[in-house]
Amino acid sequence: MSIVTVQLGQCGNQIGHEVFSAVCRDVHGTHGLCSKKENESYHDACKERFFCQEESEVPVARAVLVDMEPKVVSQTLSVAARSGSWKYDDRSHFCQKQGSGNNWANGYSVHGPRHKEAVMNLVQKEAEKCDRLGGFFTIMSMAGGTGSGLGAFITQCLRDAFPTSFILNHVIWPYGTGEVIVQNYNSVLTLSHLYQSSDALLVHENDVIHKICAQLMNIKQISFRDVNQVIAHQLGSVFQPTYTEGGSDYSRNPLGDLMETLVPHPEFKLLGLRNIPQMPENFLAYSTFSWPGLIKHLRQMLIANAKMEEGIDWQVRPPHLGSSSRSTNKPLHFNTSIANLVILRGKDTHSVDLGSFRDPSLYTSWLTPQDAFNAWRTPRAFNKYEKSASLVSNSQFLLKPLDSVVGKAWNMFASKAYVHQYTKFGIEEEDFLDSFAVLEQVISSYTIL
Amino acid sequence: LTRIYPLFAVGQCGNQVGCRFWDLALREHAAVNKKGVYDEALSSFFRNVDTRSGGDGADICKGKICSLKARALLIDMEEGVVNEILQGPLRDVFDSKQLITDVSGSGNNWAVGHKLYGCQYRESIVEKLRKAAEHCDCLQCFFIIHSMGGGTGSGLGTFVLNLLEDEFPEVYRFVTSVYPSGEDDVITSPYNSVLAMKELNEHADCVLPIENESLFDIVNKIHQMINSGKLGSTVKPKSLVTSSAGGARAVQEKPFDAMNNIIANLLLNLTSSARFEGSLNMDLNEISMNLVPFPRLHYLVSSLTPLYTLADVNVPSRRLDQMFSDAFSRDHQLIQADPKHNLYLACALLVRGNVQVSDLRRNIERLKPSLHFISWNQEGWKTSLCSVPPVGHSHSLLALANNTCVKPTFMELKDRFMKLYKKKAHLHHYLHIEGMEQSCFSEAIASLSDLIEEYNELDATKGGPRADPPRLKIAV
């Protein structure tokens, strides 16, 4: 089954491009560390998922590029074409000239309805090119106007037009110290709207990825490109082909499988992502890791809500089971999970013991650890890492960041600053209040886990 | 298929600055656009006209550059400055349909500019406006350049502002206004400025106030640095923010040229991220969105750095950080105000050149502690990264601050106005113009007072911790 990617706004398009590049590079790389047959199956599965092969041409990404200003899409298309190894469909993009002015209301209420038909036509065309549609993957930032506002509108349209398809929104949280002054308003409006129409929100925080670039990748002058490449690597580590438990062929339905394992309840849709190990490419040849070590670190990253493999707080422990009131006896800083998914790639993955992730004390009581935890594996190494492990988690990972964004937005809203910029385009104070209410509910739900 | 920014230069000052602007814009695009192809960046300020058939040819949207025409309207009620432009090296950049001139001038009288000439030239301006807009497939924002203290720039300039709002209500209006200093030799400049301020309050989306004193200080500083021999021959002449080197102007620079070049550079840097590519783009409408928290508080303090660059190209991190520090130093500001001791409502950093997001973040972290931001916008930074640096530099920074430090500037203006108004000095020159009444004055000063009061209220929130408002409670 194929995934149609919708790249929205500058951020969405820049990241989307890095994702397809990373996936293509991985597939054509020679470090698969597995049999030729395995490699070929992997290759085919990946192709089906992300690309469309038109005769003798290079693979064409299954994507729709949308932006309200022309420069980024134009650049993205040409850089991809110049790579010689893949490209976008020349017609599968939609641009305007005005931009959205970092204004969610402009993106949602003005550009959305105005350009709905054009954008959805492109999406329909891409969907029709798929033998079997596995769902939609949208990439957007919350901070600006197009990715956020138009993105929220388009997600709604996708839901209306494809009621039974899976929709996964990849959402980028901006740096805390500001890229856009009204980013907290835009974020609140985006998240509350996505929550209604999306199946799950997979989140990356710029601050976190920036730290990874600085401390793990040793990059001195970090650019957005560096950040985007780390994000692309992490996404690739989740969406490249794998075998689900007991499967003998590469899974055909990644989005569906993801939703099934991670989103048991519609109130809980926030997914965080962790990937280890991460290091500069030139270190790879000199590093060896053991699976027990990687699994131990990944588990502690989950429990202690660590953002990367350095600086993990090893003091945090799961609560003791069997205590009378679970929630009050919970140790501080412990990250409770609803469901987790671990993905292992590379050498000896079949023999890795993941028992520690099935520990019931990690989870809420609604699901048995059997259901709450899943693992996907493949012997095929990813992106030159001999061993690579990823964790996609529906847990309290994003509770604090969410609470912080809502808090700051509320603080600003109390003084009514900038609200006139939104009412100008049809988003009223009432709409803000509704959005705040939705998110306070989400915060509350995740808090009492 | 691109955003365009028509520019209206009104009055003597406006046109002198405008002229420098187009010259430097051409220089900038010539440096970047090696193939002579008419591209999107160029089209934001220039049309490409096919003049082979003579006269006003059709616009060519792509392909080789044929003849570039500025997207502009040059308006002046006396002919000297405009004529000079038309006889100078930029004469081919304008065609006669883009000019509106008269002979007698406005006598430093806002009423003459706004009411008399406004009325007289209204239709002509609207017609030329519509024609100019016709050529544009996407009007994003209008720029007006003028001075506040005289008659034409101030009066007719704000009349044009009104017209733009009526004819194109959805297009943003950015105004670059040169404010008179206390020692201005035009006695009635306070009247003209306050009357114009009312129009700016009500009809402009964003105003960049500029004070001649600041420009003068910057020019002096540069001359001192050069003459002191400290920099020797290591200063790149083209890189001076005051320089026209490499532009069309081969003749001896006029006294105001250096100062006007600074304003021209301001406009180039303001629009760079919209014209050229970068990892974090910023359009003009984003400036308005992020920097204007309440509709009337739209006056932005600008500072530009570097003012010149040394010849060596390798810029280590420390020098880059110095650029950020400079942007927050009063030496680089284009108005005489004190943002560090007042309250920031919002701040934007428009960076050009080889600067990455980590450099931005490091410097914001470093500078934040010494700046006071209003309680509800503690992280109120808007940033953009444009890959293309200005001519002669490896990088540059334009900082735009919405800060209550403009309040003293406006209060002084109000005082100077009241000094004259109390004595009814020179009022008769204004009141005998048709359409002008005493109420124009009282409304104008009321508008200014209200604006000052809005800044006062925000200032009152400064100092002393405030409890965050309690969060929305929902039924669990």
Side-chain angles (χ1 to χ4, degrees), chain A residues 146-188:
Chain A
T146 299
S148 71
L150 180 62
F153 185 84
I154 294 297
T155 302
Q156 222 167 277
C157 295
L158 287 175
R159 175 53 71 216
D160 292 337
F162 300 89
T164 56
S165 291
F166 294 105
I167 301 176
L168 177 65
N169 290 96
H170 179 228
V171 182
I172 303 296
W173 289 48
Y175 287 98
T177 56
E179 292 169 33
V180 170
I181 292 173
V182 290
Q183 64 188 40
N184 297 312
Y185 279 171
N186 292 339
S187 300
V188 164

Tab-separated table of all heavy atoms in Angstrom, chain A residues 146-188:
chain	number	residue	atom	x	y	z
A	146	THR	N	0.862	29.011	6.719
A	146	THR	CA	0.405	28.087	5.691
A	146	THR	C	0.360	26.662	6.216
A	146	THR	O	-0.696	26.022	6.237
A	146	THR	CB	1.313	28.168	4.456
A	146	THR	OG1	1.256	29.491	3.929
A	146	THR	CG2	0.853	27.188	3.395
A	147	GLY	N	1.521	26.152	6.638
A	147	GLY	CA	1.565	24.787	7.155
A	147	GLY	C	0.520	24.606	8.227
A	147	GLY	O	-0.238	23.647	8.249
A	148	SER	N	0.442	25.577	9.112
A	148	SER	CA	-0.457	25.469	10.250
A	148	SER	C	-1.918	25.665	9.862
A	148	SER	O	-2.743	24.778	10.033
A	148	SER	CB	-0.055	26.470	11.328
A	148	SER	OG	-0.350	27.781	10.901
A	149	GLY	N	-2.241	26.820	9.324
A	149	GLY	CA	-3.640	27.130	9.038
A	149	GLY	C	-4.183	26.382	7.833
A	149	GLY	O	-5.184	25.669	7.915
A	150	LEU	N	-3.493	26.513	6.715
A	150	LEU	CA	-3.947	25.799	5.523
A	150	LEU	C	-3.838	24.300	5.767
A	150	LEU	O	-4.683	23.522	5.340
A	150	LEU	CB	-3.110	26.212	4.306
A	150	LEU	CG	-3.476	25.535	2.995
A	150	LEU	CD1	-4.896	25.861	2.590
A	150	LEU	CD2	-2.519	25.951	1.885
A	151	GLY	N	-2.784	23.898	6.484
A	151	GLY	CA	-2.586	22.487	6.817
A	151	GLY	C	-3.760	21.930	7.597
A	151	GLY	O	-4.233	20.822	7.327
A	152	ALA	N	-4.246	22.680	8.570
A	152	ALA	CA	-5.387	22.221	9.357
A	152	ALA	C	-6.622	22.097	8.476
A	152	ALA	O	-7.386	21.134	8.582
A	152	ALA	CB	-5.654	23.188	10.509
A	153	PHE	N	-6.796	23.055	7.584
A	153	PHE	CA	-7.955	23.023	6.698
A	153	PHE	C	-7.882	21.825	5.759
A	153	PHE	O	-8.860	21.100	5.571
A	153	PHE	CB	-8.027	24.323	5.895
A	153	PHE	CG	-9.253	24.424	5.035
A	153	PHE	CD1	-10.437	24.885	5.564
A	153	PHE	CD2	-9.215	24.049	3.694
A	153	PHE	CE1	-11.583	24.977	4.786
A	153	PHE	CE2	-10.350	24.124	2.899
A	153	PHE	CZ	-11.544	24.595	3.443
A	154	ILE	N	-6.721	21.614	5.162
A	154	ILE	CA	-6.563	20.507	4.212
A	154	ILE	C	-6.748	19.166	4.916
A	154	ILE	O	-7.327	18.230	4.355
A	154	ILE	CB	-5.193	20.574	3.510
A	154	ILE	CG1	-5.122	21.820	2.620
A	154	ILE	CG2	-4.939	19.324	2.661
A	154	ILE	CD1	-6.132	21.839	1.482
A	155	THR	N	-6.259	19.072	6.157
A	155	THR	CA	-6.434	17.816	6.894
A	155	THR	C	-7.924	17.513	7.039
A	155	THR	O	-8.369	16.375	6.858
A	155	THR	CB	-5.779	17.900	8.282
A	155	THR	OG1	-4.401	18.193	8.108
A	155	THR	CG2	-5.922	16.589	9.034
A	156	GLN	N	-8.674	18.556	7.333
A	156	GLN	CA	-10.130	18.391	7.422
A	156	GLN	C	-10.704	17.909	6.097
A	156	GLN	O	-11.551	17.026	6.048
A	156	GLN	CB	-10.726	19.748	7.737
A	156	GLN	CG	-11.821	19.730	8.753
A	156	GLN	CD	-12.080	21.147	9.200
A	156	GLN	OE1	-11.388	21.677	10.073
A	156	GLN	NE2	-13.055	21.775	8.597
A	157	CYS	N	-10.236	18.517	5.011
A	157	CYS	CA	-10.719	18.128	3.679
A	157	CYS	C	-10.360	16.685	3.371
A	157	CYS	O	-11.159	15.951	2.776
A	157	CYS	CB	-10.099	19.016	2.595
A	157	CYS	SG	-10.600	20.715	2.723
A	158	LEU	N	-9.161	16.275	3.773
A	158	LEU	CA	-8.743	14.889	3.550
A	158	LEU	C	-9.698	13.953	4.283
A	158	LEU	O	-10.134	12.947	3.737
A	158	LEU	CB	-7.319	14.658	4.064
A	158	LEU	CG	-6.178	15.253	3.246
A	158	LEU	CD1	-4.848	15.039	3.972
A	158	LEU	CD2	-6.114	14.646	1.857
A	159	ARG	N	-10.000	14.314	5.518
A	159	ARG	CA	-10.895	13.478	6.311
A	159	ARG	C	-12.265	13.375	5.643
A	159	ARG	O	-12.860	12.312	5.561
A	159	ARG	CB	-11.020	14.048	7.729
A	159	ARG	CG	-12.026	13.332	8.621
A	159	ARG	CD	-11.816	11.854	8.711
A	159	ARG	NE	-10.637	11.505	9.465
A	159	ARG	CZ	-9.832	10.473	9.169
A	159	ARG	NH1	-10.080	9.692	8.147
A	159	ARG	NH2	-8.780	10.229	9.902
A	160	ASP	N	-12.764	14.518	5.142
A	160	ASP	CA	-14.069	14.497	4.491
A	160	ASP	C	-14.046	13.690	3.217
A	160	ASP	O	-14.976	12.931	2.924
A	160	ASP	CB	-14.514	15.946	4.165
A	160	ASP	CG	-14.821	16.733	5.428
A	160	ASP	OD1	-15.113	16.102	6.475
A	160	ASP	OD2	-14.756	17.967	5.371
A	161	ALA	N	-12.986	13.850	2.437
A	161	ALA	CA	-12.942	13.181	1.129
A	161	ALA	C	-12.562	11.707	1.224
A	161	ALA	O	-12.924	10.905	0.364
A	161	ALA	CB	-11.952	13.917	0.220
A	162	PHE	N	-11.809	11.360	2.258
A	162	PHE	CA	-11.343	9.968	2.400
A	162	PHE	C	-11.664	9.483	3.803
A	162	PHE	O	-10.766	9.265	4.619
A	162	PHE	CB	-9.829	9.891	2.161
A	162	PHE	CG	-9.393	10.352	0.801
A	162	PHE	CD1	-9.079	11.694	0.585
A	162	PHE	CD2	-9.293	9.468	-0.254
A	162	PHE	CE1	-8.678	12.146	-0.668
A	162	PHE	CE2	-8.887	9.904	-1.513
A	162	PHE	CZ	-8.579	11.239	-1.719
A	163	PRO	N	-12.946	9.297	4.118
A	163	PRO	CA	-13.342	9.019	5.503
A	163	PRO	C	-12.746	7.755	6.094
A	163	PRO	O	-12.624	7.646	7.305
A	163	PRO	CB	-14.870	8.923	5.435
A	163	PRO	CG	-15.227	8.863	4.000
A	163	PRO	CD	-14.092	9.337	3.194
A	164	THR	N	-12.356	6.810	5.240
A	164	THR	CA	-11.831	5.568	5.817
A	164	THR	C	-10.316	5.455	5.722
A	164	THR	O	-9.749	4.439	6.103
A	164	THR	CB	-12.452	4.352	5.113
A	164	THR	OG1	-12.189	4.481	3.702
A	164	THR	CG2	-13.948	4.283	5.355
A	165	SER	N	-9.660	6.473	5.222
A	165	SER	CA	-8.196	6.403	5.107
A	165	SER	C	-7.524	6.891	6.371
A	165	SER	O	-8.088	7.686	7.124
A	165	SER	CB	-7.719	7.271	3.947
A	165	SER	OG	-8.118	6.726	2.724
A	166	PHE	N	-6.317	6.430	6.575
A	166	PHE	CA	-5.559	6.876	7.740
A	166	PHE	C	-4.891	8.206	7.430
A	166	PHE	O	-4.388	8.418	6.336
A	166	PHE	CB	-4.486	5.852	8.114
A	166	PHE	CG	-5.068	4.565	8.587
A	166	PHE	CD1	-5.068	3.453	7.766
A	166	PHE	CD2	-5.650	4.477	9.845
A	166	PHE	CE1	-5.627	2.259	8.202
A	166	PHE	CE2	-6.212	3.295	10.283
A	166	PHE	CZ	-6.210	2.184	9.462
A	167	ILE	N	-4.904	9.096	8.417
A	167	ILE	CA	-4.231	10.376	8.255
A	167	ILE	C	-3.278	10.562	9.418
A	167	ILE	O	-3.696	10.596	10.582
A	167	ILE	CB	-5.229	11.553	8.247
A	167	ILE	CG1	-6.248	11.390	7.121
A	167	ILE	CG2	-4.477	12.871	8.090
A	167	ILE	CD1	-7.312	12.466	7.112
A	168	LEU	N	-2.006	10.686	9.098
A	168	LEU	CA	-0.996	10.955	10.120
A	168	LEU	C	-0.404	12.330	9.842
A	168	LEU	O	0.107	12.582	8.754
A	168	LEU	CB	0.108	9.901	10.080
A	168	LEU	CG	1.272	10.102	11.054
A	168	LEU	CD1	0.806	9.979	12.494
A	168	LEU	CD2	2.381	9.091	10.788
A	169	ASN	N	-0.487	13.235	10.831
A	169	ASN	CA	0.103	14.559	10.662
A	169	ASN	C	1.460	14.606	11.330
A	169	ASN	O	1.562	14.324	12.524
A	169	ASN	CB	-0.775	15.636	11.320
A	169	ASN	CG	-2.078	15.854	10.583
A	169	ASN	OD1	-3.084	15.287	10.955
A	169	ASN	ND2	-2.046	16.659	9.555
A	170	HIS	N	2.459	14.955	10.554
A	170	HIS	CA	3.777	15.175	11.146
A	170	HIS	C	3.863	16.665	11.463
A	170	HIS	O	3.784	17.507	10.570
A	170	HIS	CB	4.873	14.765	10.165
A	170	HIS	CG	6.246	14.988	10.699
A	170	HIS	ND1	7.238	15.628	9.981
A	170	HIS	CD2	6.805	14.655	11.883
A	170	HIS	CE1	8.350	15.668	10.709
A	170	HIS	NE2	8.111	15.091	11.855
A	171	VAL	N	3.978	16.999	12.742
A	171	VAL	CA	3.902	18.395	13.145
A	171	VAL	C	5.219	18.844	13.759
A	171	VAL	O	5.759	18.173	14.636
A	171	VAL	CB	2.765	18.578	14.190
A	171	VAL	CG1	2.651	20.038	14.582
A	171	VAL	CG2	1.443	18.080	13.631
A	172	ILE	N	5.728	19.973	13.309
A	172	ILE	CA	6.983	20.495	13.848
A	172	ILE	C	6.681	21.592	14.864
A	172	ILE	O	5.985	22.561	14.555
A	172	ILE	CB	7.844	21.110	12.722
A	172	ILE	CG1	8.102	20.083	11.636
A	172	ILE	CG2	9.150	21.660	13.273
A	172	ILE	CD1	8.902	18.904	12.087
A	173	TRP	N	7.202	21.407	16.069
A	173	TRP	CA	7.056	22.432	17.097
A	173	TRP	C	8.220	23.394	16.980
A	173	TRP	O	9.382	22.980	16.932
A	173	TRP	CB	7.078	21.781	18.481
A	173	TRP	CG	5.839	20.992	18.762
A	173	TRP	CD1	5.248	20.079	17.951
A	173	TRP	CD2	5.054	21.035	19.949
A	173	TRP	NE1	4.132	19.556	18.549
A	173	TRP	CE2	3.989	20.108	19.795
A	173	TRP	CE3	5.146	21.736	21.139
A	173	TRP	CZ2	3.029	19.907	20.755
A	173	TRP	CZ3	4.187	21.513	22.112
A	173	TRP	CH2	3.137	20.620	21.927
A	174	PRO	N	7.951	24.691	16.956
A	174	PRO	CA	9.025	25.667	16.744
A	174	PRO	C	9.913	25.809	17.986
A	174	PRO	O	9.554	25.353	19.066
A	174	PRO	CB	8.256	26.973	16.517
A	174	PRO	CG	6.986	26.795	17.275
A	174	PRO	CD	6.644	25.347	17.189
A	175	TYR	N	11.043	26.447	17.795
A	175	TYR	CA	11.919	26.757	18.917
A	175	TYR	C	11.147	27.566	19.956
A	175	TYR	O	10.395	28.466	19.616
A	175	TYR	CB	13.099	27.616	18.447
A	175	TYR	CG	14.128	26.875	17.646
A	175	TYR	CD1	14.111	26.923	16.261
A	175	TYR	CD2	15.136	26.142	18.275
A	175	TYR	CE1	15.066	26.253	15.516
A	175	TYR	CE2	16.095	25.476	17.535
A	175	TYR	CZ	16.047	25.525	16.152
A	175	TYR	OH	16.992	24.868	15.416
A	176	GLY	N	11.417	27.270	21.228
A	176	GLY	CA	10.738	27.989	22.306
A	176	GLY	C	11.027	29.478	22.274
A	176	GLY	O	10.154	30.306	22.485
A	177	THR	N	12.311	29.840	21.981
A	177	THR	CA	12.642	31.264	21.967
A	177	THR	C	12.352	31.888	20.623
A	177	THR	O	13.119	32.667	20.102
A	177	THR	CB	14.117	31.518	22.285
A	177	THR	OG1	14.913	30.770	21.356
A	177	THR	CG2	14.447	31.133	23.682
A	178	GLY	N	11.297	31.508	20.031
A	178	GLY	CA	10.766	32.317	18.947
A	178	GLY	C	11.357	32.206	17.557
A	178	GLY	O	12.528	32.429	17.332
A	179	GLU	N	10.502	31.809	16.650
A	179	GLU	CA	10.800	31.992	15.240
A	179	GLU	C	9.752	32.972	14.734
A	179	GLU	O	9.977	33.759	13.846
A	179	GLU	CB	10.599	30.677	14.483
A	179	GLU	CG	11.599	29.600	14.844
A	179	GLU	CD	11.185	28.254	14.275
A	179	GLU	OE1	10.585	28.217	13.187
A	179	GLU	OE2	11.455	27.241	14.936
A	180	VAL	N	8.578	32.830	15.323
A	180	VAL	CA	7.430	33.638	14.936
A	180	VAL	C	6.785	34.089	16.234
A	180	VAL	O	6.612	33.299	17.146
A	180	VAL	CB	6.424	32.773	14.137
A	180	VAL	CG1	5.120	33.508	13.928
A	180	VAL	CG2	7.008	32.365	12.803
A	181	ILE	N	6.463	35.367	16.322
A	181	ILE	CA	5.959	35.872	17.588
A	181	ILE	C	4.591	35.297	17.936
A	181	ILE	O	4.294	35.027	19.090
A	181	ILE	CB	5.946	37.402	17.559
A	181	ILE	CG1	7.399	37.879	17.541
A	181	ILE	CG2	5.202	37.981	18.739
A	181	ILE	CD1	7.562	39.349	17.337
A	182	VAL	N	3.764	35.092	16.925
A	182	VAL	CA	2.424	34.577	17.209
A	182	VAL	C	2.399	33.050	17.105
A	182	VAL	O	1.340	32.457	16.912
A	182	VAL	CB	1.381	35.197	16.252
A	182	VAL	CG1	1.182	36.660	16.581
A	182	VAL	CG2	1.799	35.049	14.802
A	183	GLN	N	3.566	32.411	17.272
A	183	GLN	CA	3.623	30.975	17.062
A	183	GLN	C	2.756	30.209	18.053
A	183	GLN	O	2.247	29.130	17.719
A	183	GLN	CB	5.061	30.466	17.106
A	183	GLN	CG	5.761	30.633	18.431
A	183	GLN	CD	7.248	30.283	18.324
A	183	GLN	OE1	7.907	30.606	17.337
A	183	GLN	NE2	7.779	29.624	19.333
A	184	ASN	N	2.599	30.728	19.256
A	184	ASN	CA	1.800	29.987	20.226
A	184	ASN	C	0.319	30.023	19.870
A	184	ASN	O	-0.389	29.026	20.040
A	184	ASN	CB	2.058	30.510	21.640
A	184	ASN	CG	3.503	30.288	22.047
A	184	ASN	OD1	4.049	29.205	21.882
A	184	ASN	ND2	4.153	31.330	22.544
A	185	TYR	N	-0.158	31.159	19.368
A	185	TYR	CA	-1.537	31.215	18.866
A	185	TYR	C	-1.716	30.211	17.729
A	185	TYR	O	-2.661	29.433	17.699
A	185	TYR	CB	-1.854	32.604	18.311
A	185	TYR	CG	-2.223	33.653	19.327
A	185	TYR	CD1	-2.346	34.993	18.945
A	185	TYR	CD2	-2.482	33.348	20.660
A	185	TYR	CE1	-2.686	35.978	19.848
A	185	TYR	CE2	-2.817	34.335	21.576
A	185	TYR	CZ	-2.918	35.647	21.160
A	185	TYR	OH	-3.250	36.636	22.058
A	186	ASN	N	-0.801	30.272	16.767
A	186	ASN	CA	-0.914	29.389	15.602
A	186	ASN	C	-0.874	27.930	16.032
A	186	ASN	O	-1.587	27.093	15.495
A	186	ASN	CB	0.199	29.690	14.592
A	186	ASN	CG	0.040	31.057	13.947
A	186	ASN	OD1	-1.049	31.627	13.929
A	186	ASN	ND2	1.125	31.602	13.417
A	187	SER	N	-0.037	27.640	17.022
A	187	SER	CA	0.086	26.260	17.487
A	187	SER	C	-1.210	25.787	18.133
A	187	SER	O	-1.681	24.681	17.866
A	187	SER	CB	1.224	26.142	18.501
A	187	SER	OG	2.438	26.541	17.910
A	188	VAL	N	-1.767	26.616	19.003
A	188	VAL	CA	-3.007	26.236	19.695
A	188	VAL	C	-4.123	25.993	18.691
A	188	VAL	O	-4.859	24.999	18.762
A	188	VAL	CB	-3.406	27.329	20.711
A	188	VAL	CG1	-4.838	27.172	21.158
A	188	VAL	CG2	-2.476	27.294	21.908
